[in-house]
């Protein structure tokens, strides 16, 4: 088949032929950037030409020129290597980290839900701080986007958690690096707050607009490593008359968030409320937004009360087994639940 | 408005707080009732929810240096009658500290039903900046919602729909104008037999010897930012948890 039969503009056809690409088979094994260089055209134009060419040449191309058609495909082997080298975001509670396989993972959408007062926002703030732990201390050294739909984000509280985090890092420094004073980084708790991009959302239209805008924003701020939405459900629980519309809007949002996580190698954490569900004569607690929404996240963690202790339970995960672990919300943030740092109870 | 406009960077400054007029309570709440958010006060009847509300209405007018918000306040009440004599009594104390009569800057609006509340809320956008309102108190939400709705699936669903609508509107206002919003709620008894749902830090609290928890259920609990419970111990003193 000849290049001249392709439905592309005459100037592009001319450039192709003059650069020596006369047959479709010669286009099958060339990468878009290579073609762009050869033809002196922008790369997106080259991608377009390759797309047209691969469509024209039909299914037989898949065998000999697969990397052009399935651009972005990876082998499972590569993915395993990538996953092993990636760093998890710690929750500051080692019991919780253990059942999560190290912490919150990048490239995944993690949904955390629980009853009011269980500590969803606290986990959100803790993650926004922990993402900034520098690589020297085993962190990611990134920035956070915090999308607040409920107005529960308290700057004083974020500062408190940041101060505790900075103290812990100093302690770690003095324990492990006694001799090398050169590593002594000056950690300012206020600097933690500078690296949290805060959006306050007041309606669901704003929520959708911000999520659409995120891709552009993250593209401009490549060091953003986590997006926290607190909570995903609040604005979608007002009387939506058209439930089909709600489902459509929500699944569109979920797709965007998954794509964002994958494309920019960042973690997306969605906090969700709980609701009661009527099932065969009894009421059960489930996460809000319905059954179709439960497909939207890669991992689902449910927070619940067990006696007087807070517990987290892995409800859904492709890689981790179901397990639960206790955790505590302390003055310093999320910590292990043990006798010496139990929640202060006012009697 | 563009999505870019929503970005507040650096983070919002430290939240202004409204004093409760009692140094002990203020210290417990890290300075008082926070602005830009909804604070709920839960207590059984006779604990002093309305007293606390009246106190806040007056405290909001104090200058910021004294822990107030130097603005007017709006009182939406659904429990009748309006305790005007008590308010007058309390205002005599504040009168000495303020250049104007504190009663002039307290606006009162009675509420008769849940739908009435929904009618009033859109007017806030206009009223709040005009009257320089810095505090809205709703006393009480429970009275509005506990009577009107039947205990059937569709009615309760409609009720929680209204909860989210009311809360969303209040939060929008609180954010837009930097308001403190305080709502009061009643309590319900906790039955031993039912494995009741645990919301907040304690399953239930003991108030004058009964086990109680906040009224209006799970969906309303999602609608407030902070919840304080006030209880009576041995009828001698009140305690907040």
């Amino acid at each position: 088949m000849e290049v001249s039969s392709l439905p592309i503009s005459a100037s592009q056809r001319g450039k192709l032929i003059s650069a020596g690409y006369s047959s479709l088979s010669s286009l099958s094994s060339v990468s878009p950037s290579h073609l762009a260089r050869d033809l002196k055209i922008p790369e997106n134009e080259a991608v377009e030409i390759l797309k047209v060419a691969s469509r024209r040449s039909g299914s037989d191309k898949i065998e000999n020129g697969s990397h052009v058609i399935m651009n972005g495909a990876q082998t499972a082997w590569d993915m395993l290597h990538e996953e092993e080298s990636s760093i998890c975001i710690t929750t500051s509670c080692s019991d919780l980290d253990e059942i999560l396989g190290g912490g919150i993972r990048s490239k995944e959408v993690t949904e955390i839900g629980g009853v009011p007062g269980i500590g969803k926002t606290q986990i959100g703030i803790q993650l926004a701080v922990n993402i900034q732990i520098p690589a020297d201390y085993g962190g990611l050294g990134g920035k956070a986007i915090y999308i607040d739909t409920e107005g529960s984000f308290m700057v004083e509280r974020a500062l408190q958690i940041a101060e505790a985090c900075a103290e812990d890092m100093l302690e770690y420094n003095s324990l492990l690096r006694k001799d090398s004073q050169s590593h002594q980084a000056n950690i300012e708790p206020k600097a933690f707050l500078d690296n949290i991009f805060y959006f306050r959302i007041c309606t669901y239209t704003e929520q959708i607009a911000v999520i659409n805008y995120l891709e552009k924003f993250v593209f401009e701020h490549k060091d953003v490593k986590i997006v926290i939405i607190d909570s995903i459900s609040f604005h979608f629980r007002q009387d939506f008359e058209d439930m089909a519309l709600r489902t459509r809007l929500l699944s569109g949002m979920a797709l965007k968030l998954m794509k964002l996580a994958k494309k920019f190698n960042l973690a997306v954490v969605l906090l969700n409320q709980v609701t009661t569900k009527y099932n065969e004569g009894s009421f059960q607690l489930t996460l809000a937004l319905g059954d179709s929404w439960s497909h939207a996240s890669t991992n689902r963690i449910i927070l619940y009360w067990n006696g007087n202790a807070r517990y987290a339970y892995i409800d859904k995960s492709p890689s981790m087994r179901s397990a639960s672990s206790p955790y505590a919300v302390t003055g310093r943030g999320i910590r292990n639940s043990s006798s010496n740092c139990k929640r202060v109870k006012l009697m | 408005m563009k999505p870019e406009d929503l970005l507040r960077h650096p983070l919002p400054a430290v939240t202004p707080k409204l004093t409760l007029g009692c140094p002990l309570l203020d210290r417990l709440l890290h300075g008082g009732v926070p602005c830009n958010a909804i604070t709920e006060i839960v207590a059984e009847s006779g604990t002093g929810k309305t007293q606390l509300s009246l106190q806040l209405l007056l405290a909001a007018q104090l200058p910021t240096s004294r822990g107030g918000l130097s603005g007017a306040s709006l009182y939406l009440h659904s429990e009748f009658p309006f305790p005007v004599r008590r308010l007058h009594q309390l205002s005599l104390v504040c009168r000495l500290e303020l250049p104007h009569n504190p009663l002039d800057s307290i606006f009162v609006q009675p509420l008769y039903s849940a739908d009435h509340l929904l009618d009033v809320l859109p007017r806030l956008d206009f009223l709040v900046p005009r009257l320089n309102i810095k505090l809205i108190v709703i006393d009480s939400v429970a009275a509005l919602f506990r009577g009107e709705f039947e205990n059937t699936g569709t009615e309760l669903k409609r009720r929680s729909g209204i909860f989210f609508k009311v809360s969303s509107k209040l939060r929008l206002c609180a954010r837009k104008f930097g308001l403190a919003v305080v709502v009061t709620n009643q309590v319900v008894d906790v039955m031993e037999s039912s494995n009741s749902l645990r919301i907040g830090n304690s399953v239930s609290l003991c108030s004058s010897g009964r086990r109680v928890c906040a009224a209006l259920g799970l969906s309303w609990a999602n609608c407030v930012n902070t919840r304080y419970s006030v209880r009576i111990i041995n009828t001698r003193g009140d305690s907040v948890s």
Side-chain angles (χ1 to χ4, degrees):
Chain A
M1 258 191 172
E2 290 304 304
V3 163
S4 51
S5 66
L6 284 179
I8 53 177
S9 73
S11 69
Q12 285 175 341
R13 206 177 296 144
K15 278 178 190 164
L16 272 177
I17 291 167
S18 60
Y21 296 100
S22 54
S23 69
L24 282 181
S25 55
S26 64
L27 279 176
S28 66
S29 56
V30 71
S31 73
S33 55
H34 193 98
L35 187 69
R37 217 177 322 120
D38 279 357
L39 268 60
K40 296 185 185 67
I41 55 171
E43 196 163 322
N44 54 350
E45 218 171 291
V47 172
E48 279 306 309
I49 294 177
L50 288 176
K51 236 186 246 168
V52 170
S54 64
R55 209 180 301 137
R56 174 55 64 95
S57 54
S59 56
D60 57 303
K61 272 283 160 337
I62 290 170
E63 287 130 44
N64 42 30
S66 59
H67 70 277
V68 177
I69 295 151
M70 307 214 285
N71 216 344
Q74 250 180 321
T75 65
W77 181 248
D78 292 339
M79 283 162 77
L80 181 68
H81 274 289
E82 214 166 85
E83 201 179 298
E84 277 170 350
S85 62
S86 76
I87 302 164
C88 293
I89 306 154
T90 173
T91 56
S92 288
C93 165
S94 57
D95 291 340
L96 193 54
D97 282 350
E98 200 175 309
I99 63 162
L100 290 170
I104 305 290
R105 290 191 171 277
S106 294
K107 289 195 176 184
E108 288 180 4
V109 178
T110 305
E111 187 180 10
I112 301 175
V115 292
I118 190 84
K120 301 183 292 288
T121 303
Q122 300 298 322
I123 291 184
I125 297 175
Q126 183 76 58
L127 288 172
V129 168
N130 285 356
I131 191 74
Q132 301 173 41
I133 298 173
D136 290 354
Y137 296 84
L140 281 162
K143 292 186 179 175
I145 292 179
Y146 199 99
I147 300 177
D148 185 7
T149 66
E150 299 191 8
S152 294
F153 184 90
M154 283 282 170
V155 187
E156 293 95 326
R157 181 65 181 143
L159 189 63
Q160 228 174 26
I161 291 175
E163 274 164 2
C165 182
E167 272 172 34
D168 287 351
M169 273 153 59
L170 278 178
E171 197 183 312
Y172 175 90
N173 217 5
S174 61
L175 285 176
L176 288 177
R177 303 193 181 124
K178 281 198 186 94
D179 36 81
S180 60
Q181 286 298 307
S182 58
H183 274 89
Q184 188 82 18
N186 199 8
I187 305 145
E188 188 63 45
K190 290 238 165 64
F192 278 96
L193 299 186
D194 281 337
N195 291 331
I196 300 174
F197 297 105
Y198 175 82
F199 292 82
R200 174 77 174 90
I201 306 297
C202 290
T203 63
Y204 73 88
T205 350
E206 283 179 17
Q207 188 172 335
I208 294 167
V210 159
I211 287 170
N212 289 343
Y213 166 67
L214 275 184
E215 189 167 344
K216 183 166 171 260
F217 185 82
V218 175
F219 186 77
E220 286 160 7
H221 300 83
K222 285 262 170 42
D223 42 4
V224 168
K225 287 286 163 223
I226 193 167
V227 175
I228 299 151
I229 305 184
D230 175 18
S231 68
I232 191 88
S233 49
F234 177 69
H235 293 302
F236 286 90
R237 293 187 70 188
Q238 302 173 47
D239 51 348
F240 249 90
E241 266 117 52
D242 190 350
M243 289 311 254
L245 174 70
R246 188 180 94 159
T247 308
R248 267 207 310 282
L249 289 175
L250 283 171
S251 56
M253 216 158 68
L255 271 179
K256 290 240 166 63
L257 290 170
M258 281 198 178
K259 187 180 160 203
L260 192 77
K262 198 97 201 143
K263 189 168 170 191
F264 295 101
N265 188 22
L266 49 82
V268 174
V269 175
L270 310 175
L271 305 180
N272 197 354
Q273 301 173 343
V274 291
T275 183
T276 41
K277 183 180 170 186
Y278 188 70
N279 194 7
E280 287 165 10
S282 67
F283 286 97
Q284 289 178 335
L285 273 190
T286 50
L287 295 193
L289 300 181
D291 288 337
S292 58
W293 174 255
S294 59
H295 301 289
S297 45
T298 328
N299 309 302
R300 247 185 171 194
I301 302 166
I302 293 180
L303 310 175
Y304 64 98
W305 287 103
N306 187 357
N308 258 342
R310 292 175 158 95
Y311 272 75
Y313 168 74
I314 298 181
D315 184 49
K316 171 191 166 186
S317 164
S319 55
M320 289 159 303
R321 65 194 178 89
S322 297
S324 62
S325 87
Y327 70 98
V329 178
T330 70
R332 297 165 66 82
I334 307 289
R335 290 294 184 269
N336 268 351
S337 158
S338 64
S339 53
N340 58 347
C341 59
K342 254 208 178 118
R343 177 168 46 91
V344 185
K345 194 153 191 210
L346 291 156
M347 285 307 291
Chain B
M1 187 161 76
K2 285 187 193 156
E4 286 92 326
D5 301 341
L6 291 168
L7 183 63
R8 295 278 180 276
H9 186 72
L11 284 165
V14 174
T15 335
K17 301 271 174 74
L18 169 62
T19 176
L20 283 93
C22 163
L24 272 176
L25 286 179
D26 278 350
R27 203 168 58 201
L28 191 61
L29 308 185
H30 285 281
V33 176
C35 288
N36 307 326
I38 305 180
T39 306
E40 185 184 41
I41 298 169
V42 180
E44 66 171 317
S45 74
T47 316
K49 298 188 297 290
T50 303
Q51 298 298 319
L52 197 53
S53 311
L54 296 180
Q55 177 108 10
L56 287 172
L57 292 177
L58 293 165
Q61 300 175 36
L62 294 173
T64 39
S65 57
R66 301 259 293 103
L69 301 170
S70 54
S73 40
L74 175 65
Y75 187 67
L76 304 168
H77 68 110
S78 57
E79 290 180 359
F80 297 95
F82 176 69
V84 65
R85 235 176 308 157
R86 177 66 180 150
L87 183 65
H88 178 68
Q89 214 174 17
L90 288 171
S91 74
L92 295 178
V93 185
C94 295
R95 206 164 195 171
L96 307 168
E97 300 174 33
L98 289 167
H100 58 277
N101 187 345
L103 296 182
D104 285 344
S105 317
I106 295 176
F107 301 95
V108 179
Q109 164 80 50
L111 295 175
Y112 300 103
S113 69
D115 287 326
H116 190 196
L117 175 61
L118 286 179
D119 283 345
V120 169
L121 286 178
R123 298 218 306 267
L124 292 179
D125 281 332
F126 168 75
L127 284 176
V128 166
R130 211 182 142 106
L131 301 174
N132 186 30
I133 289 171
K134 286 287 171 204
L135 168 74
I136 297 178
V137 179
I138 304 184
D139 183 28
S140 68
V141 278
L144 285 178
F145 289 98
R146 276 181 93 173
E148 202 180 309
F149 297 86
E150 280 174 52
N151 201 7
T152 60
T154 44
E155 278 285 280
L156 289 179
K157 198 164 165 251
R158 189 167 77 87
R159 189 177 84 163
S160 50
I162 298 179
F163 283 160
F164 281 99
K165 215 177 198 173
V166 167
S167 160
S168 166
K169 185 71 199 167
L170 283 174
R171 280 176 173 169
L172 181 65
C173 261
R175 162 77 178 168
K176 204 160 146 194
F177 305 112
L179 299 180
V181 178
V182 175
V183 299
T184 63
N185 194 355
Q186 302 168 351
V187 293
V188 286
D189 279 319
V190 178
M191 300 296 163
E192 287 297 339
S193 54
S194 64
N195 48 344
S196 68
L197 173 66
R198 176 170 180 167
I199 299 168
N201 274 343
S202 48
V203 191
S204 59
L205 52 125
C206 246
S207 189
S208 41
R210 290 151 55 212
R211 300 203 328 123
V212 292
C213 70
L216 302 183
L218 174 63
S219 51
W220 175 253
N222 278 314
C223 291
V224 296
N225 294 108
T226 326
R227 171 176 272 179
Y228 300 123
S229 305
V230 189
R231 58 183 170 162
I232 303 178
I233 299 173
N234 293 339
T235 62
R236 262 184 288 135
D238 297 352
S239 98
V240 178
S241 61

